[in-house]
Amino acid sequence: MSADLSDLYQQVILDHNRRPRNRGKLPTANRSAHGDNPSCGDQCDVFLRLDGDRIAEISFDGSGCAISQASASLMTTQLKGKTAAEAEKLYADFHEIVANGKEPEEISDLAAFAGVHAFPARIKCATLSWHAALNALHGEPVAATTESHTD
Amino acid sequence: MSAIPTSWERIREEFPILDQQVNGHPLVYLDNAATTQRPRSVVAELDRFYARDNSNVHRGLHALSMRATDAYEGARARLTRFIGAAAAEEVIFTRGTTESINLVAASFGGANLRRGDVILLTEMEHHSNLVPWQMIAQRTGATLRYVPVTGDEGLLDLSDIDRLLTPEVKIFAFTHVSNTLGTVNPAADLCARARRVGAVSVVDAAQSIGHMPVDVGAIGCDFMAFSGHKMAGPTGIGVLYGRRALLDAMPPWQGGGGMISAVDFFESRWKPSPERFEAGTPNFGDAAALGTACDFLDALGRERVREHDGALAREAYERLAELPGIRLLGPAGERGGLVSFAFKDVHAHDVVTFADEDGIALRGGHHCNQPLMKKLGLASTVRASFYVYNERREIDALVASMRRTLRFFAG
Ligand SMILES: Cc1ncc(COP(=O)(O)O)c(C=O)c1O
């Protein structure tokens, strides 16, 4: 397998794809948002229970490639317990990782997504769930679509 | 201008693009349903046209303009023969299938549809044979009905056709060959049924025109749409075939130069077809080369193209069926030159990414067929589609790549 492809499909990603964390509807959610990639058909719903400004609980549901499923799963583990501002900051870091391959300053599982930047067509797979999560966080009624966001 | 007779034995030499390495492997191009490759003769005709004859058509009196007009109208005559149309006036050059269908929908549909009328489609239509009808239905108050698809075997379910195809149906538009299922629909039978209730038939021939003999007389359709780039021809050029009597009664759909017989400050009169429907400078360079693509396919023999592509697709279907966790779509028997499938545990985009690493070009996604995918409970499939230059060893490569991908994701 080529270096690029093994960078893309890192163990962490395969693991989250095989055993997604926090998958399914969250019965206690008080916020949710839907995201889709019209060009490839990927779908993702993100459910949040906000406790004040803090994400007390989070889950996702949806279908898509290994990158999108692993990204959604890993995201839920990263965002749980974070404030809105912290979530924004995490997404900014994550975006640097997937779009530019920039390693994060602190050790983080998110670094597993650095290989995505060599596959520009897959960046939107990795960011879809994050768009949905941020929309849910901001209580935006619209569905997230990565095609109208700049990746 | 006409192609050197092409032999099947040396066919890959006609397609220099195939002779390259992708990710360290010989290219295996199996994305022909999206677009085919073009043979040397088609590329040479483009080159020859622009190097020798290029000039605007119809309006000029000088030598180059007359040569360009001859090339353009010669291509129209070639396409007329290619599809068995009664006259060149029935062949309108468009940008492709999508534009052709939009033209029929806007012009014929706009002039003829009323509230209470029905447009009958099938559940296997490409978005380009669906969205234009939704748009004109909204404008006119007509409604849509669908002929259902049977399920994974992907046939049209005609058991209820008499209740669907009623006299309220003014237009019956359907695909000849499904780009997602590979199903070959009984086009002549469907057109005859449409005729019996007074409906006009529109055949989307995008996936059949380059792969089998297609004759508008034998099919008995009123309109037919197809694209050059799916039949070894250039991009940006396609055809709308229409029966003369219908075209003559249709209003133009775009206004501009070339389509009027007289223009006043306040009104204009239209030329007859085909000019009426070709406002502005047409795509004559690509039209000329599309004529060459017709020569190429006829030299090969379209019946043999059908046998060749169909045999590869059937063999691929049978060999892929042995893979664990695979779900194959479309009929097991006769099919067009493609197979479409999904794995239980590996998403189509991951499959396509792995295949690309093996030098294999596949397509993964909903194939512009979202309503059908939803009905089948699928988000996406992998599609391998074949053309005249594909070989059996490429099925070996495809199956080996699928096995490798499945092993990897099984962990
Ligand atoms: C069945 C079918 N119809 C219509 C189209 C649209 O063709 P084009 O994009 O060339 O207009 C396609 C191509 O993808 C197709 O497969």
Side-chain angles (χ1 to χ4, degrees):
Chain A
M1 189 154 113
S2 76
D4 273 358
L5 205 58
S6 50
D7 278 353
L8 180 63
Y9 292 96
Q10 300 248 345
Q11 271 315 317
V12 174
I13 292 181
L14 292 173
D15 176 55
H16 275 268
N17 178 48
R18 254 178 234 135
R19 294 187 304 117
R21 325 291 199 272
N22 306 309
R23 189 183 175 121
K25 223 173 148 144
L26 186 66
T28 55
N30 51 14
R31 291 281 177 81
S32 71
H34 176 76
D36 62 44
N37 277 334
S39 62
C40 62
D42 287 359
Q43 309 253 351
C44 183
D45 286 292
V46 174
F47 306 91
L48 304 178
R49 185 167 67 77
L50 278 188
D51 190 358
D53 188 33
R54 203 168 281 282
I55 300 173
E57 287 183 273
I58 177 169
S59 76
F60 81 101
D61 210 355
S63 67
C65 63
I67 307 302
S68 75
Q69 296 302 291
S71 175
S73 169
L74 187 58
M75 174 192 77
T76 62
T77 66
Q78 299 280 317
L79 286 185
K80 188 166 173 179
K82 297 286 191 300
T83 63
E86 288 165 344
E88 297 275 3
K89 168 76 172 68
L90 260 183
Y91 176 62
D93 293 348
F94 181 66
H95 194 267
E96 277 299 301
I97 295 169
V98 293
N100 303 317
K102 188 166 164 276
E103 296 282 334
E105 282 150 29
E106 290 159 39
I107 296 173
S108 160
D109 275 354
L110 294 178
F113 286 86
V116 173
H117 88 282
F119 297 80
R122 305 304 284 279
I123 293 172
K124 64 186 195 309
C125 309
T127 56
L128 176 65
S129 56
W130 288 82
H131 287 303
L134 293 183
N135 277 1
L137 199 54
H138 299 142
E140 288 185 21
V142 291
T145 149
T146 51
E147 324 257 296
S148 58
H149 286 66
T150 42
D151 275 308
Chain B
M1 232 217 275
S2 90
I4 319 114
T6 307
S7 76
W8 281 89
E9 291 68 41
R10 313 192 65 168
I11 191 156
R12 288 180 77 89
E13 291 169 21
E14 296 281 330
F15 294 86
I17 196 168
L18 299 175
D19 183 20
Q20 63 176 295
Q21 302 275 310
V22 169
N23 294 322
H25 299 269
L27 168 65
V28 174
Y29 186 78
L30 299 180
D31 195 18
N32 294 287
T35 197
T36 63
Q37 301 300 343
R38 298 97 181 89
R40 284 181 194 280
S41 58
V42 169
V43 179
E45 172 57 15
L46 281 173
D47 195 50
R48 190 205 61 78
F49 180 85
Y50 288 116
R52 301 290 309 162
D53 293 346
N54 179 54
S55 175
N56 210 332
V57 292
H58 294 156
R59 299 190 264 282
L61 294 174
H62 58 81
L64 262 55
S65 177
M66 286 186 273
R67 293 208 304 253
T69 303
D70 285 349
Y72 185 53
E73 293 308 325
R76 196 190 308 280
R78 183 69 186 87
L79 268 296
T80 304
R81 268 190 290 133
F82 191 72
I83 60 171
E89 288 74 17
E90 299 187 322
V91 173
I92 298 157
F93 282 118
T94 63
R95 264 192 319 122
T97 311
T98 303
E99 190 174 80
S100 296
I101 296 170
N102 275 277
L103 195 169
V104 188
S107 171
F108 181 83
N112 293 289
L113 291 169
R114 303 277 173 273
R115 188 163 297 281
D117 289 345
V118 173
I119 303 164
L120 182 62
L121 306 173
T122 84
E123 286 181 343
M124 65 169 85
E125 297 316 310
H126 187 280
H127 293 168
S128 70
N129 197 25
L130 201 165
V131 182
W133 301 114
Q134 290 178 343
M135 288 164 60
I136 198 67
Q138 264 159 25
R139 241 181 62 200
T140 58
T143 54
L144 302 178
R145 270 184 209 159
Y146 290 89
V147 179
V149 168
T150 50
D152 281 10
E153 78 272 45
L155 299 171
L156 287 181
D157 177 359
L158 298 177
S159 58
D160 237 4
I161 188 74
D162 291 335
R163 269 199 287 160
L164 291 167
L165 190 49
T166 55
E168 294 81 58
V169 176
K170 292 293 173 306
I171 296 168
F172 182 16
F174 62 87
T175 193
H176 192 183
V177 172
S178 160
N179 67 309
T180 304
L181 302 162
T183 315
V184 184
N185 286 319
D189 173 53
L190 297 176
C191 290
R193 287 172 187 270
R195 212 162 32 246
R196 284 204 288 275
V197 297
V200 154
S201 54
V202 182
V203 177
D204 173 352
Q207 294 295 345
S208 59
I209 188 75
H211 295 266
M212 59 181 67
V214 172
D215 185 288
V216 293
I219 290 173
C221 56
D222 293 305
F223 295 99
M224 177 178 282
F226 58 89
S227 304
H229 70 97
K230 294 186 199 281
M231 54 176 286
T235 50
I237 187 81
V239 163
L240 172 67
Y241 158 82
R243 267 203 307 116
R244 183 75 188 271
L246 293 169
L247 292 174
D248 281 346
M250 279 159 55
W253 80 304
Q254 291 178 338
M259 47 79 72
I260 63 276
S261 57
V263 178
D264 215 336
F265 277 117
F266 296 102
E267 58 179 16
S268 307
R269 270 175 294 142
W270 326 126
K271 282 188 185 161
S273 181
E275 284 85 4
R276 181 183 301 176
F277 304 104
E278 293 182 357
T281 295
N283 185 359
F284 38 79
D286 288 317
L290 181 56
T292 307
C294 295
D295 295 342
F296 172 78
L297 289 171
D298 278 339
L300 285 177
R302 282 187 277 165
E303 192 53 56
R304 283 195 62 190
V305 174
R306 185 219 309 257
E307 285 162 20
H308 175 269
D309 299 354
L312 287 178
R314 282 195 303 278
E315 177 167 343
Y317 182 98
E318 281 159 25
R319 300 218 13 224
L320 289 167
E322 294 163 11
L323 298 178
I326 197 168
R327 181 173 163 191
L328 281 146
L329 298 183
E334 199 215 333
R335 54 166 53 241
L338 63 93
V339 280
S340 186
F341 52 95
F343 292 109
K344 194 155 77 48
D345 295 322
V346 189
H347 191 274
H349 289 152
D350 298 314
V351 174
V352 171
T353 298
F354 270 70
D356 181 56
E357 198 193 36
D358 294 331
I360 305 174
L362 300 174
R363 190 149 296 248
H366 51 61
H367 314 295
C368 289
N369 238 193
Q370 273 176 326
L372 175 68
M373 301 295 264
K374 207 187 260 175
K375 165 169 172 145
L376 298 177
L378 284 162
S380 57
T381 71
V382 182
R383 182 180 71 190
S385 49
F386 301 92
Y387 209 35
V388 293
Y389 33 71
N390 287 123
E391 300 177 340
R392 292 180 69 186
R393 66 174 171 82
E394 294 178 304
I395 300 177
D396 298 338
L398 170 69
V399 174
S401 178
M402 297 301 103
R403 285 195 190 282
R404 178 176 84 99
T405 307
L406 290 173
R407 268 199 309 277
F408 179 83
F409 281 93

